[in-house]
Amino acid sequence: MKASGRSKSDGRTEILDAAAVAFMEYGFAGTSIDMVADVLGSTKGKIYYHFKSKTSLFLDVHRETMTTYIEAVEAVAKGPGTPLDKLRGVLMTLAMQVMERLPYAKVAVEGVDMHMSRSTTPEQRVVLREIIDLRDRGETILVKIIEDGIEQGLLRPCNPRLIVKPMLGALNWMTVWYRPRPQDTPETRKALADTLVDYLLNGIVSPAPAEPRVIA
Amino acid sequence: MKASGRSKSDGRTEILDAAAVAFMEYGFAGTSIDMVADVLGSTKGKIYYHFKSKTSLFLDVHRETMTTYIEAVEAVAKGPGTPLDKLRGVLMTLAMQVMERLPYAKVAVEGVDMHMSRSTTPEQRVVLREIIDLRDRGETILVKIIEDGIEQGLLRPCNPRLIVKPMLGALNWMTVWYRPRPQDTPETRKALADTLVDYLLNGIVSPAPAEPRVIA
DNA sequence: ATAGCATGATACCCGGGCGTAGGTTATGGA
DNA sequence: TCCATAACCTACGCCCGGGTATCATGCTAT
């Protein structure tokens, strides 16, 4: 009997990692299965043994990403703290995820507005639906937190559904400009995430003539 | 003698428009020249008469977009007003551009992190360089405005180079979720842009140093 | 050790898409 | 009227890449 537990050197997981890297560099349409195999240091055979098609491989990378996201987000959302704490926590978590798993993050970004109407089997549609649901769930959690925050006077009144867009957009945009540096450590990444999240929460305009306000 | 002035039904411009639409839907790699020709209601022949290659067509769409952007941005930057006014003006301008010329905006977004190292002629590299320079110029203008704003105490102290990223990111992200609605008018678009830009300037945290009050 | 399955490599088919060669119509000047 | 050039269309060459069919090599249990 197989160990079958997903050790990190699981063949399938290795492929997902390689695929994420390849898709990150050239995008879905621009990446060939042979490129993925090259990154993997293997051949097409291995990939097509584990995955039905290129599209299915891409979708699995995407789903993997979204699942990780939603789990992290839900953990924070269910934790203790004010809505403001939670909001900050969720954004921080996402920012860290993007930096630490950049290839996956980028696949998720490309996957969002990809048109795969053609060349998607009904079965893949199901996966696509799953992914979209995960995303919606995450967004809804954020919206709920913001609504709570407004109710408690912690956040300024606004349309949460709308405000969530630039928030997540700013984080997702990290996949465009952020590149890991050799000297990067968890601490430097956290500092960067803090700066960004601070901005997303506080904006940039000086608070009246008063001195800079600090948020808890 | 030809009229040769670029009337809006110029063949070349028509192609650029069609290409922007096609690229927006399927991305660079996912779009065939025949698709562009279909959108155009013409054939490949016309396209290859006006453009050297698919890559060159894409780059021209991208350059067109960036040129329009930079002109709009520079107009605002050179205009009157405080740095805060200018910052708001630039962001508003960009937001409006994204909505009003969505296909072009999307091409620009894809073009940013596209790797075209392969299949780019030295000549195309020059164009690519031009485009990158335009983008840098725009970003530098924004940075300068923010620096001025900080100096004058209008904006809170921060690292402008860094803050610019989520700002522009949030705007560029509009290409992912914004879709023009039939009932959209310049006014509704402006209202949307206002909401977003307000958020980007002011953040979301309540300005009142409100004690987190417990829900009654 | 050997049957049988899990895993992966190799060779191949075939459709699609870029770019081109050469034909065809419109335009304008002599 | 006649030719030159612009503007565009048609048909094809050729390669690339997704997917499959087949072959090779383990590993496990009896």
Side-chain angles (χ1 to χ4, degrees):
Chain A
M1 182 175 297
K2 277 201 52 178
S4 131
R6 298 286 166 74
S7 73
K8 73 183 140 206
S9 56
D10 187 344
R12 215 187 130 84
T13 305
E14 278 174 20
I15 296 175
L16 287 173
D17 286 346
V21 170
F23 286 143
M24 156 157 118
E25 279 208 30
Y26 298 101
F28 174 75
T31 301
S32 74
I33 296 289
D34 290 300
M35 289 185 198
V36 177
D38 277 353
V39 173
L40 188 58
S42 178
T43 67
K44 274 207 293 198
K46 179 166 183 176
I47 295 171
Y48 274 101
Y49 177 78
H50 288 277
F51 295 88
K52 255 186 45 252
S53 67
K54 182 184 172 184
T55 301
S56 139
L57 172 58
F58 183 88
L59 287 178
D60 275 7
V61 174
H62 194 177
R63 178 170 49 182
E64 168 76 17
T65 311
M66 296 311 296
T67 302
T68 306
Y69 281 3
I70 197 76
E71 281 171 2
V73 165
E74 279 183 340
V76 174
K78 283 178 184 160
T82 68
L84 181 52
D85 293 334
K86 289 181 183 180
L87 179 56
R88 171 176 290 274
V90 167
L91 296 181
M92 282 296 293
T93 298
L94 289 175
M96 294 302 286
Q97 283 285 327
V98 168
M99 286 187 276
E100 286 165 359
R101 304 187 56 200
L102 193 55
Y104 283 87
K106 200 139 198 187
V107 167
V109 166
E110 188 187 356
V112 176
D113 57 7
M114 183 143 120
H115 290 60
M116 292 187 295
S117 353
R118 314 172 308 167
S119 82
T120 38
T121 70
E123 182 187 342
Q124 290 169 351
R125 297 271 182 141
V126 174
V127 178
L128 200 53
R129 190 74 243 156
E130 261 183 66
I131 294 172
I132 293 173
D133 287 346
L134 283 174
R135 177 168 288 271
D136 285 350
R137 223 166 96 205
E139 221 174 281
T140 300
I141 290 175
L142 248 189
V143 167
K144 190 73 177 55
I145 292 176
I146 294 176
E147 283 171 350
D148 290 348
I150 294 173
E151 234 172 75
Q152 299 184 22
L154 296 170
L155 304 180
R156 84 176 69 228
C158 66
N159 179 345
R161 281 276 165 207
L162 196 50
I163 290 305
V164 150
K165 301 295 187 189
M167 267 186 183
L168 295 178
L171 294 184
N172 283 322
W173 192 250
M174 291 183 76
T175 59
V176 172
W177 59 269
Y178 172 77
R179 288 296 172 275
R181 298 283 180 187
Q183 68 267 24
D184 269 359
T185 67
E187 285 72 33
T188 64
R189 281 194 287 272
K190 189 169 179 318
L192 181 53
D194 264 323
T195 304
L196 293 181
V197 173
D198 266 345
Y199 165 67
L200 291 178
L201 292 178
N202 291 327
I204 189 176
V205 173
S206 264
E211 61 258 27
R213 157 175 44 103
V214 181
I215 66 160
Chain B
M1 181 176 301
K2 276 201 54 177
S4 127
R6 298 284 165 75
S7 75
K8 72 183 141 208
S9 57
D10 188 343
R12 213 187 133 85
T13 305
E14 278 174 21
I15 296 175
L16 287 175
D17 286 346
V21 169
F23 286 144
M24 156 157 117
E25 278 207 33
Y26 298 100
F28 175 74
T31 301
S32 74
I33 296 288
D34 290 297
M35 291 184 196
V36 177
D38 278 354
V39 174
L40 188 59
S42 179
T43 65
K44 275 208 295 199
K46 179 165 181 175
I47 295 171
Y48 274 102
Y49 177 78
H50 288 279
F51 296 89
K52 255 187 42 251
S53 67
K54 182 184 172 184
T55 301
S56 138
L57 173 57
F58 183 88
L59 287 178
D60 275 6
V61 174
H62 194 176
R63 177 168 52 183
E64 169 75 18
T65 312
M66 296 311 297
T67 302
T68 307
Y69 281 2
I70 196 77
E71 280 171 1
V73 166
E74 278 183 340
V76 174
K78 282 178 184 162
T82 69
L84 182 51
D85 294 333
K86 289 181 182 179
L87 180 55
R88 171 175 292 274
V90 167
L91 296 181
M92 283 296 294
T93 298
L94 290 176
M96 294 301 285
Q97 283 285 327
V98 169
M99 287 187 277
E100 285 166 1
R101 305 187 55 201
L102 194 54
Y104 283 88
K106 201 139 197 189
V107 166
V109 165
E110 187 186 356
V112 175
D113 56 8
M114 184 146 115
H115 290 60
M116 293 188 296
S117 353
R118 315 171 308 166
S119 81
T120 38
T121 70
E123 181 186 342
Q124 290 171 350
R125 298 271 181 141
V126 174
V127 178
L128 201 53
R129 190 74 244 156
E130 259 183 68
I131 294 172
I132 294 173
D133 287 346
L134 283 175
R135 178 166 288 271
D136 286 349
R137 222 166 96 205
E139 221 174 280
T140 300
I141 291 176
L142 249 190
V143 167
K144 190 71 176 55
I145 292 176
I146 293 175
E147 283 171 350
D148 290 349
I150 295 172
E151 233 172 76
Q152 300 183 23
L154 296 170
L155 304 181
R156 86 177 67 228
C158 65
N159 179 345
R161 280 277 165 205
L162 196 50
I163 290 306
V164 150
K165 300 296 186 187
M167 267 186 183
L168 297 178
L171 295 183
N172 283 322
W173 193 250
M174 292 184 75
T175 58
V176 173
W177 58 268
Y178 174 76
R179 288 297 172 273
R181 298 281 179 188
Q183 67 267 27
D184 269 0
T185 67
E187 286 72 32
T188 64
R189 281 194 288 271
K190 190 171 179 317
L192 180 53
D194 264 323
T195 304
L196 293 181
V197 172
D198 266 345
Y199 165 67
L200 291 178
L201 293 178
N202 292 326
I204 188 176
V205 172
S206 195
E211 293 293 318
R213 54 169 184 269
V214 185
I215 316 166

